[in-house]
Amino acid sequence: QVQLVESGGGLGQAGGSLRLSCAASGSIFSINAMNWYRQAPGKQRELVAGYTRSGNTKYADSVKGRFTISRGNTKNTMYLQMNSLKPEDTAVYYCNAEVVVPVGSLEVWGQGTLVTVSS
């Protein structure tokens, strides 16, 4: 069984910083892509940042220059450094990955971590 576990959410202040972590565990051969999504109240889930299969990074326009995605040495861990926070960054943040397992590949989601930014 493959799991993604997020941590690091909480309350932040406008202009401040928070760092989210995502750890993948289970019978994983490799991870093809890894992303951060978020869903604000009453809105659709949107891509925030991610790694493509080729290892390139991508960011939503709304977070470019403020958020930075990175991966740990084992490649099973991903981080999202969020700087210059804005109240509109308030959302549940989800880790998402396309992982290769013994029976093939599958898409996995974490349970989400709430980020609340006060003005």
Side-chain angles (χ1 to χ4, degrees):
Q1 185 177 1
V2 177
Q3 283 188 319
L4 299 179
V5 178
E6 304 99 335
S7 60
L11 179 64
Q13 291 188 332
S17 299
L18 285 173
R19 189 185 193 221
L20 304 183
S21 300
C22 172
S25 62
S27 300
I28 300 172
F29 284 163
S30 63
I31 298 179
N32 288 338
M34 215 164 178
N35 306 290
W36 286 103
Y37 282 79
R38 68 185 180 187
Q39 187 166 18
K43 294 188 177 182
Q44 289 187 332
R45 192 172 296 189
E46 62 174 357
L47 177 68
V48 177
Y51 282 96
T52 66
R53 286 190 170 197
S54 59
N56 295 323
T57 58
K58 53 186 178 182
Y59 294 91
D61 289 342
S62 59
V63 306
K64 281 181 181 176
R66 300 189 299 120
F67 291 10
T68 303
I69 192 172
S70 62
R71 294 179 78 167
N73 291 334
T74 65
K75 303 299 183 184
N76 282 11
T77 304
M78 178 176 64
Y79 306 97
L80 185 66
Q81 179 66 42
M82 304 186 294
N83 298 330
S84 302
L85 287 167
K86 301 177 180 180
E88 50 263 45
D89 293 322
T90 295
V92 178
Y93 284 71
Y94 296 91
C95 181
N96 162 269
E98 180 188 335
V99 301
V100 179
V101 296
V103 295
S105 64
L106 53 91
E107 184 179 27
V108 187
W109 290 87
Q111 81 287 351
T113 185
L114 177 63
V115 171
T116 304
V117 181
S118 62
S119 57

